[in-house]
Amino acid sequence: MKPVKVGLLGLGTVGTGVVRILEGNQEDLSNQVGSPILVERIAVKNTEKPRDINVDNAKVTSDPWEVIRDPEIDVIVEVMGGIAGTKEYILEALERGKHIVTANKDLMALHGSEILAKAQEKQCDVFYEASVAGGIPIIRTLIEGFSSDKIMKIMGIVNGTTNYILTKMSQEGASYHDVLKEAQELGYAESDPTSDVEGLDAARKMAILGTLGFRTNVGLRDVSVKGISAVSKEDIAFAKRLGYEMKLLGIAECDDDAFNISVQPTMIRASHPIASVNGVFNAVYVYGQAVGETMFYGAGAGAMPTATSIVADLVAVIKNLKLGVNGLKQIAPYKQKKLKSDEDIFFKNFLLLHVDDKAGVLAKITQVFAEYEVSLDSVVQQANPNNPDAEIIIVTHNASKASMNKVLRHLEELNVIHRIKSHYHVVG
């Protein structure tokens, strides 16, 4: 049995996990694919760096091009991250007929269509299960498991860092800044956490899921994004009082082939299964026209969960190689991109207003909602001993984004309102 030879770009946390799985499960993997799987070459930034895994130094190089251009290598596994240089490596590898397995969500979200087009041209596989939700096999599920269905909605917690922060804030009443500092100390958040806490990481993942689920090219600019940095412990306390949990949710919806995708802190009914997903775990809820509700839950990051998805993709590539069908199973987006207008996007809203503490204020505010035909689900007015203003909490029924934008602009003009303290979408 001729071995399948793999070139590995990157030997960090995830790359090390890939090597461990290939070495530890070699017998099972070989029996699945009909030949041994060997890591032939490894590209790293620093060949002298101490590592907690033993690899043959003769296989290690600091030049990724040596791996790409090695004629013995059948499959490139990319776990080095980055966009510009990495894109060139992958395109060149495809040009040379090598198959690709990657965990690079940034690259696939921004340049996936170009990479997949090149793969189709060269009849190569490009698999990227690990780019979204770590060890949860959601990409393969969308492509294969839902191939006979029409997906109407995808809703997910797809960033473990923000879920950890919001969980700690909810369970312990801690402030955002205190929990962020703790998350950085534990290694859950980067020293520069912007990509996570401002929703950019989740937006890239939702662009990938939207492309696959709705069969159309979804770009990052098509995703409306709002992060969690402005979420206060008071907001979360109000949410819990009303029976909700606060989560950074990616929500993608499609009706009549028109879609909208957003990532933002959202109040979700505590009884919804996704509301109980805590800590660094991820979950993806999918609603299909035929199948109805489904949900997938698991570790969204980490060396071994992510490496598990990568090696599963590698096995799929090799099985295709044995069957001679590489590049034939790619499903390119075939539907014309059609974004929903603001008039067609509906959601419930939570607002916290700081207002004058005097008679008649509530009537003026509710009149604004009535003017734009936004009906109210609940209204609570209360005094706050720590705030000289009165506080009004409003939850609306479903309202169009266009109508809510008009309401918000009008509220900002009312002299009885000192501040629109918080505004969140509500699910359930």
Side-chain angles (χ1 to χ4, degrees), residues 202-223:
R204 292 176 182 124
K205 294 171 182 176
M206 290 306 299
I208 292 171
L209 294 181
T211 296
L212 295 172
F214 303 148
R215 312 295 194 246
T216 188
N217 275 315
V218 178
L220 193 56
R221 68 183 62 187
D222 300 323
V223 184

Side-chain angles (χ1 to χ4, degrees), residues 165-185:
I165 292 170
L166 293 175
T167 298
K168 294 282 282 188
M169 291 176 69
S170 176
Q171 294 179 349
E172 301 178 7
S175 71
Y176 165 78
H177 293 289
D178 287 345
V179 180
L180 173 58
K181 182 179 178 182
E182 179 185 326
Q184 289 171 319
E185 291 170 351

Side-chain angles (χ1 to χ4, degrees), residues 259-273:
F259 71 89
N260 68 285
I261 303 179
S262 66
V263 170
Q264 57 192 298
T266 304
M267 292 184 178
I268 184 166
R269 182 66 67 182
S271 58
H272 194 289

Side-chain angles (χ1 to χ4, degrees), residues 264-338:
Q264 57 192 298
T266 304
M267 292 184 178
I268 184 166
R269 182 66 67 182
S271 58
H272 194 289
I274 214 167
S276 62
V277 177
N278 292 321
V280 295
F281 282 88
N282 283 194
V284 181
Y285 165 98
V286 181
Y287 185 88
Q289 190 176 59
V291 75
E293 296 181 297
T294 62
M295 197 173 93
F296 307 86
Y297 167 87
M304 300 314 285
T306 305
T308 298
S309 289
I310 290 169
V311 176
D313 275 351
L314 180 57
V315 167
V317 169
I318 297 171
K319 286 181 176 179
N320 287 348
L321 190 63
K322 300 290 184 180
L323 294 171
V325 295
N326 295 108
L328 300 181
K329 292 186 176 182
Q330 305 281 4
I331 301 178
Y334 59 89
K335 292 185 178 179
Q336 182 179 1
K337 182 190 294 187
K338 184 181 177 184

Side-chain angles (χ1 to χ4, degrees), residues 150-170:
K150 184 174 184 179
I151 294 173
M152 312 296 290
K153 184 174 184 177
I154 303 170
M155 182 167 66
I157 296 172
V158 292
N159 181 272
T161 300
T162 51
N163 202 45
Y164 175 84
I165 292 170
L166 293 175
T167 298
K168 294 282 282 188
M169 291 176 69
S170 176

